[in-house]
């Protein structure tokens, strides 16, 4: 509320348009599921919200990280009509499915991706030809991590876990890995260990390992942590990730020898990671063997293959976005009296 306004003529047009469009769509879609019908009914209202928003705010470009939402298509149409650059950032990897209906159609002028392989393999022929694709990797690394990127890292092991149907097998994996590498720390970070709802980050006790069904105490070298995932990457050389998390390619970008834990076997043969069989481990025995073979020079981590999946090292994402927003040159940035940044041309 209060984020925009409509003039009187626009207000009358909006009311007419919303009512007429609602009647028209309901006439054609009345036999569809109620949830779909209600969602479609919101489209015209969202469109006029963006129009009202533009009446209040003036800017040159908009960056959105909501590629998974159909609302971005409505927004891009309104912004583009006002001559505003529509820039998108990939919210996360399309895993484990690879080809997802949520991303069948995107509408940005410039779209930044974590991994170019998804575009080249699945989406190149599906997305708009005039949407510029740029692969920059992750834009979430803290400055502390970037500054220590090349620092030596201990031989410890990181595990980035999400909730899976094979939760018992994952806990067994953690236990067996800890027992096999009793001289090392195993840092376990769960995706929902931190609850960021309401912009207030706090630990979520429901996602500690004990609450996920560990029947007996885990080995003492298992560290169940809520530390920032990216800072955690400075504490080890190896990472093991469940099959449905974006952190896998970010760990690879950070230089960690990263593997995908997939205890499902052949139950999900169409999963994205089947494109990368050398990165998959089904159990702790396979994981232990991979690490031992690497450290004994029997096996080398497949960095050449990984380079097709992600970028190497930190990238200047902020300046890449700035170039996309102002392709003819960056504006001068200066503070205004009310504390906002003025990005108008000098």
């Amino acid at each position: 509320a209060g984020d925009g306004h409509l003039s009187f003529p626009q207000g009358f047009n909006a009311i007419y348009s919303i009512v007429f469009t609602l009647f028209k769509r309901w006439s054609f879609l009345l036999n569809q599921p109620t949830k779909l019908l209600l969602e479609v009914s919101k489209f015209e209202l969202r469109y006029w919200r963006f129009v009202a928003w533009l009446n209040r705010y003036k800017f040159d470009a908009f960056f959105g990280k909501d590629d998974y939402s159909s609302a971005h298509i409505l927004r891009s149409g309104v912004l583009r009509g006002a001559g505003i650059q529509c820039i998108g950032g990939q919210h996360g990897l399309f895993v484990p499915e690879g080809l997802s209906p949520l991303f069948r159609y995107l509408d940005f002028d410039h779209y930044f991706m974590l991994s170019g392989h998804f575009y080249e393999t699945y989406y190149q022929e599906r997305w708009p030809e005039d949407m510029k694709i740029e692969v920059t990797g992750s834009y979430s690394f803290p400055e502390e991590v970037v500054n220590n990127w090349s620092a030596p890292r201990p031989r410890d092991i990181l595990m980035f876990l999400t909730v899976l149907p094979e939760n018992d097998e994952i806990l067994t994996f953690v236990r067996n890995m800890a027992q096999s590498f009793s001289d090392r720390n195993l840092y376990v970070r769960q995706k929902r260990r931190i609850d960021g709802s309401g912009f207030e980050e706090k630990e979520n006790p429901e996602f500690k390992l004990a609450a996920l069904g560990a029947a007996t105490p885990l080995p003492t070298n298992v560290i169940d942590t809520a530390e920032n995932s990216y800072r955690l990457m400075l504490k080890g050389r190896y990472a093991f990730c469940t099959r449905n998390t974006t952190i896998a390619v970010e760990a690879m970008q950070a230089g960690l020898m990263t593997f995908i834990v997939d205890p499902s076997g052949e139950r999900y043969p169409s999963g994205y990671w089947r494109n990368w069989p050398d990165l998959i481990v089904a159990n702790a025995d396979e994981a232990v063997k991979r690490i031992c073979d690497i450290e004994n020079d029997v096996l080398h981590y497949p960095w050449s293959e990984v380079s097709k999946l992600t970028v190497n090292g930190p990238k200047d994402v902020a300046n890449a976005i700035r170039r996309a927003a102002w392709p003819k040159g960056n504006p001068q940035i200066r503070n205004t009296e009310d504390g906002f940044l003025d990005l108008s041309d000098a």
Side-chain angles (χ1 to χ4, degrees):
D3 284 341
H5 60 79
L6 297 173
S7 64
F8 281 111
Q10 285 179 324
F12 285 118
N13 286 338
I15 293 172
Y16 172 79
S17 176
I18 291 170
V19 173
F20 176 76
T21 303
L22 191 63
F23 173 78
K24 186 176 179 180
R25 287 176 180 163
W26 275 55
S27 299
F28 284 99
L29 300 173
L30 198 56
N31 62 337
Q32 296 298 313
T34 303
K35 188 175 181 180
L36 175 62
L37 186 61
L38 292 175
E39 187 63 25
V40 171
S41 300
K42 299 174 185 176
F43 286 176
E44 197 68 14
L45 176 61
R46 288 172 177 166
Y47 169 83
W48 284 102
R49 280 181 175 175
F50 290 130
V51 172
W53 183 46
L54 284 179
N55 285 340
R56 180 168 183 179
Y57 300 104
K58 302 299 179 185
F59 46 90
D60 299 323
F62 183 94
F63 179 86
K65 194 184 172 185
D66 57 348
D67 47 10
Y68 54 86
S69 171
S70 59
H72 90 269
I73 299 172
L74 295 171
R75 182 184 64 228
S76 291
V78 177
L79 297 180
R80 196 173 289 122
I84 297 170
Q85 277 287 107
C86 306
I87 305 171
Q90 186 177 1
H91 179 266
L93 289 189
F94 318 138
V95 290
E97 65 273 21
L99 186 59
S100 170
L102 286 176
F103 304 98
R104 173 62 180 81
Y105 184 80
L106 300 184
D107 187 20
F108 297 103
D109 296 321
H110 202 117
Y111 184 55
F112 291 95
M113 296 194 70
L114 294 158
S115 169
H117 184 263
F118 285 88
Y119 173 68
E120 295 162 0
T121 306
Y122 298 111
Y123 296 97
Q124 189 167 5
E125 297 181 358
R126 293 173 166 83
W127 289 347
E129 292 183 0
D130 57 351
M131 183 171 74
K132 184 176 180 181
I133 304 298
E134 186 171 350
V135 179
T136 52
S138 176
Y139 40 77
S140 300
F141 292 112
E143 185 176 356
E144 171 191 342
V145 177
V146 173
N147 292 340
N148 291 281
W149 204 274
S150 301
R153 304 180 196 185
R155 296 190 307 153
D156 292 337
I157 300 168
L158 314 180
M159 295 186 181
F160 297 102
L161 307 182
T162 54
V163 176
L164 290 175
E166 304 89 3
N167 188 58
D168 291 342
E169 289 94 327
I170 293 296
L171 287 173
T172 299
F173 179 87
V174 173
R175 185 185 306 279
N176 291 346
M177 286 288 285
Q179 292 171 346
S180 298
F181 294 106
S182 58
D183 60 332
R184 311 186 194 192
N185 289 323
L186 270 75
Y187 297 94
V188 179
R189 176 68 163 84
Q190 297 187 77
K191 184 175 182 180
R192 298 191 180 181
R193 179 68 191 270
I194 290 292
D195 177 10
S197 60
F199 301 100
E200 182 180 349
E201 290 193 351
K202 56 184 180 298
E203 283 199 48
N204 182 353
E206 293 183 4
F207 280 85
K208 289 184 179 178
L209 280 173
L212 287 182
T216 58
L218 293 167
T220 56
N221 58 327
V222 174
I223 301 174
D224 187 10
T225 179
E227 186 174 354
N228 178 277
S229 298
Y230 305 103
R231 293 189 177 92
L232 201 58
M233 292 178 186
L234 298 176
K235 294 187 174 182
R237 296 183 193 175
Y238 304 95
F240 291 87
C241 308
T242 43
R243 62 178 178 264
N244 55 342
T245 175
T246 300
I247 201 76
V249 295
E250 294 176 304
M252 295 171 194
Q253 182 181 349
L256 292 169
M257 289 176 275
T258 304
F259 298 94
I260 306 302
V261 184
D262 189 357
S264 66
E266 295 301 319
R267 282 178 282 171
Y268 302 102
S270 62
Y272 173 75
W273 296 111
R274 299 298 167 182
N275 292 307
W276 314 92
D278 291 341
L279 300 180
I280 298 176
V281 295
N283 51 55
D285 290 341
E286 291 185 10
V288 170
K289 187 176 188 307
R290 297 286 179 93
I291 292 177
C292 291
D293 285 350
I294 289 172
E295 294 183 348
N296 292 325
D297 288 328
V298 175
L299 177 75
H300 295 287
Y301 186 76
W303 285 115
S304 60
E305 289 297 307
V306 167
S307 66
K308 302 173 186 176
L309 179 59
T310 186
V311 298
N312 179 32
K315 304 299 177 184
D316 191 352
V317 181
N319 271 319
I321 294 174
R322 191 175 292 117
R323 287 193 300 272
W326 296 282
K328 296 182 180 179
N330 295 341
Q332 180 176 337
I333 300 177
R334 53 185 179 270
N335 289 318
T336 61
E337 293 181 359
D338 54 5
F340 289 94
L341 293 178
D342 179 7
L343 301 178
S344 58
D345 292 334

